[in-house]
């Protein structure tokens, strides 16, 4: 009997899971599938800011065995090296051979070699987000006991920075109200969002940017525009213009890059993301595919699509169709083409702004749409059960 091809998936983020969840029974009959991930679970990476602020928003983390096909082998180990020439992935404990490799290792923090970056915390994993939550709770408690305040600096005004700032400000307000603190003390507990741009989320219109600013301010977030950071100290953010901001907690949300275990193996890379062709293959090896945050997909205009959960899911689904055809020895002429359906940014629990299919909107409707996007992914994992989680 002919041996099944060994198909190895590295990473259990949106891309890797979308690939595995889009395979049918025939694929598992014809191929031997294994996933390697440092954790035994998958989580909503787009919801990590809620983990960091203890915002109650349904299930965020899922055990891999809870939803993956029983034929898929799960290896919980940290990947240390990928050897494409010898078709081998080395982990902290073992070596694994493959016939086809799917790199979906996700993202890691982008520090831009900033001096003092070790003084910041990062929302780059479920564990880190949980740690930030505990740090905030601990410092909040001590601030109440000592009669002092609490200043949180958020460095970076992208989607994560804005969503975390809003959620964090909400959390602080609720905690102050719970402990029946006088409203005059609220100003001592601040969230400061530092933005290098003249306005927030410049891919939105000026009108939407102003709405974002207005609602952040309403929540108590203090926004600083047009300010670049020169260095970080333990309790201080230094600016290039000579100013500074004292802070009890510094949260870095100024960027991410593809996982270095993948990107360091390739010459053809773009900010830690490996360039891929229209079949999502790397240009160096026919049997290696990159999807999700470690992949750089040409946008046809000389640039690359930004790494988002949306494109990661579509890559995973496309690659599943490609592998099904390959395992069944059928031609697969389709090429990966991406067209964004839009972007949604939540500002608090019941307000969001969005650009959906070219139409901008704000308020409760885009907030509801974002919740539905999250529920849709839950259903991808668990079926109808995911709708009520």
């Amino acid at each position: 009997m002919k041996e099944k091809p060994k198909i190895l998936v590295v990473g259990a983020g949106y891309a890797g899971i979308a690939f595995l969840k889009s395979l049918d029974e025939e694929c598992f009959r014809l191929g031997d599938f294994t996933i390697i991930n440092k954790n035994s679970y998958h989580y909503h990476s787009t919801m990590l800011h809620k983990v960091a602020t203890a915002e109650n928003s349904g299930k965020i983390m899922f055990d891999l065995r809870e939803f993956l096909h029983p034929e898929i082998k799960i290896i919980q180990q940290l990947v240390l090296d990928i050897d494409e020439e010898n078709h081998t992935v080395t982990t902290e404990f073992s070596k694994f051979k493959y016939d086809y490799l799917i790199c979906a290792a996700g993202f890691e923090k982008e520090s831009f070699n900033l001096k003092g970056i070790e003084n910041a915390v990062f929302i780059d994993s479920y564990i880190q987000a949980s740690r930030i939550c505990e740090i905030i709770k601990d410092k909040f408690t001590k601030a109440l006991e000592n009669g002092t305040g609490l200043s949180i600096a958020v460095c970076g005004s992208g989607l994560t920075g804005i969503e975390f700032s809003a959620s964090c400000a909400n959390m602080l307000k609720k905690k102050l109200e719970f402990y029946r603190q006088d409203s005059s003390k609220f100003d001592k507990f601040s969230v400061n969002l530092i933005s290098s741009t003249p306005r927030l989320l410049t891919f939105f219109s000026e009108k939407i940017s102003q709405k974002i600013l207005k609602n952040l301010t309403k929540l108590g977030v203090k926004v600083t525009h047009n300010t670049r950071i020169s260095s970080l100290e333990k309790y201080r953010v230094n600016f290039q213009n000579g100013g500074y901001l004292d802070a009890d907690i510094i949260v870095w949300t100024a960027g991410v890059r593809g996982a270095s275990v993948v990107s360091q193996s390739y010459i053809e890379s773009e900010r830690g993301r490996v360039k891929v062709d229209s079949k999502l293959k790397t240009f160096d090896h026919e049997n290696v595919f990159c999807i999700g945050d470690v992949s750089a997909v040409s946008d046809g205009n000389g640039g690359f699509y930004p790494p988002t959960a949306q494109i990661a899911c579509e890559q995973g689904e496309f690659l599943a169709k490609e592998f099904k055809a390959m395992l069944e020895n059928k031609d697969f002429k389709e090429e990966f083409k991406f067209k964004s359906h839009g972007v949604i940014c939540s500002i608090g629990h019941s307000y969001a702004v969005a650009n959906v299919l070219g139409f901008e909107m704000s308020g409760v409707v885009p907030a509801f749409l974002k919740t539905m996007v999250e529920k849709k992914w839950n259903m991808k994992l668990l079926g109808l059960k995911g709708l009520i989680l």
Side-chain angles (χ1 to χ4, degrees):
M1 183 178 178
K2 185 179 178 181
E3 187 176 355
K4 294 180 181 180
K6 292 181 173 61
I7 301 160
L8 188 59
V9 179
V10 173
Y14 291 115
I17 296 304
F19 167 72
L20 291 172
K21 288 295 292 182
S22 300
L23 299 169
D24 62 15
E25 288 293 336
E26 184 68 5
C27 292
F28 294 114
R29 187 182 70 81
L30 297 173
D32 181 357
F33 292 85
T34 299
I35 182 170
I36 304 178
N37 193 55
K38 64 181 178 181
N39 302 310
S40 62
Y41 53 83
H42 160 81
Y43 56 82
H44 280 283
S45 60
T46 59
M47 297 170 69
L48 288 179
H49 66 282
K50 296 183 179 182
V51 177
T53 57
E55 183 177 323
N56 185 14
S57 55
K59 190 166 182 177
I60 291 175
M61 183 174 67
F62 304 82
D63 186 274
L64 294 177
R65 189 44 74 200
E66 182 181 6
F67 61 85
L68 286 180
H69 193 282
E71 290 291 328
I72 300 171
K73 300 180 186 69
I74 300 173
I75 308 295
Q76 186 188 344
Q77 293 179 26
L78 178 66
V79 174
L80 301 177
D81 182 63
I82 297 172
D83 183 351
E84 297 88 351
E85 298 301 329
N86 295 303
H87 297 187
T88 304
V89 169
T90 301
T91 68
E92 54 194 326
F93 303 120
S94 309
K95 289 182 181 289
F96 297 88
K97 299 288 288 185
Y98 64 82
D99 295 303
Y100 297 97
L101 176 65
I102 298 167
C103 297
F107 66 88
E108 59 188 41
K109 61 181 178 288
E110 173 63 276
S111 64
F112 303 104
N113 296 315
L114 185 74
K115 181 181 178 182
I117 193 68
E118 66 275 5
N119 295 307
V121 290
F122 304 84
I123 309 178
D124 60 353
S125 69
Y126 189 90
I127 292 175
Q128 275 292 92
S130 299
R131 176 171 170 258
I132 291 171
C133 186
E134 292 305 314
I135 291 172
I136 294 174
K137 288 179 181 178
D138 179 61
K139 287 187 178 287
F140 179 89
T141 301
K142 290 178 179 177
L144 284 186
E145 292 174 351
N146 299 331
T148 58
L150 177 64
S151 174
I152 300 173
V154 184
C155 305
S157 59
L159 291 171
T160 300
I162 289 172
E163 292 184 329
F164 170 76
S165 295
S167 187
C168 190
N170 258 333
M171 180 183 74
L172 292 178
K173 182 180 179 182
K174 287 179 181 178
K175 290 178 76 67
L176 288 166
E177 290 173 345
F178 177 81
Y179 287 103
R180 298 179 180 177
Q181 296 298 300
D182 189 275
S183 59
S184 63
K185 295 182 179 180
F186 282 30
D187 285 344
K188 292 184 178 181
F189 292 79
S190 63
V191 178
N192 304 273
L193 178 63
I194 303 165
S195 173
S196 63
T197 56
R199 63 181 178 87
L200 299 173
L201 300 186
T202 53
F203 50 79
F204 281 121
S205 67
E206 174 77 32
K207 181 180 179 181
I208 291 293
S209 291
Q210 288 302 317
K211 287 187 176 183
I212 296 171
L213 178 61
K214 179 181 178 181
N215 279 274
L216 284 173
T217 304
K218 186 177 179 180
L219 290 171
V221 178
K222 300 174 182 178
V223 182
T224 304
H225 290 290
N226 270 332
T227 303
R228 294 190 175 275
I229 298 168
S230 60
S231 65
L232 303 178
E233 298 177 39
K234 191 170 184 180
Y235 297 113
R236 177 171 290 183
V237 180
N238 295 311
F239 304 136
Q240 289 183 1
N241 62 11
Y244 62 87
L245 172 70
D246 289 326
D248 300 290
I249 305 171
I250 302 172
V251 183
W252 186 262
T253 61
V256 297
R257 60 184 289 113
S260 57
V261 71
V262 176
S263 59
Q264 68 190 4
S265 301
Y266 295 89
I267 297 174
E268 290 289 322
S269 63
E270 173 72 20
R271 274 194 63 185
R273 297 189 290 145
V274 181
K275 295 178 183 178
V276 295
D277 64 16
S278 60
K279 301 290 187 181
L280 303 181
K281 293 179 182 178
T282 65
F283 288 98
D284 297 330
H285 299 87
E286 278 288 308
N287 64 336
V288 179
F289 301 78
C290 282
I291 55 177
D293 293 312
V294 296
S295 70
V297 179
S298 172
D299 62 8
N301 297 309
F304 301 90
Y305 289 111
T308 63
Q310 186 181 154
I311 191 172
C313 292
E314 292 196 16
Q315 284 178 306
E317 292 169 0
F318 173 87
L319 199 58
K321 291 192 292 181
E322 187 174 346
F323 265 76
K324 177 176 172 59
M326 183 173 61
L327 290 169
E328 295 177 349
N329 291 315
K330 296 179 180 178
D331 288 335
F332 186 77
K333 297 181 179 180
E334 188 177 340
E335 296 183 344
F336 181 75
K337 289 182 172 57
F338 176 69
K339 184 176 181 180
S340 175
H341 300 302
V343 60
I344 305 174
C345 178
S346 60
I347 307 165
H349 185 64
S350 58
Y351 185 90
V353 296
N355 186 318
V356 179
L357 299 176
F359 296 96
E360 290 190 336
M361 60 183 80
S362 61
V364 295
V365 172
F368 174 76
L369 288 177
K370 184 160 189 181
T371 299
M372 288 299 99
V373 170
E374 293 161 358
K375 295 295 184 184
K376 180 182 177 182
W377 180 248
N378 290 356
M379 291 178 66
K380 176 84 171 179
L381 301 182
L382 301 173
L384 288 176
K385 176 184 173 184
L387 188 61
I388 59 174
L389 295 178

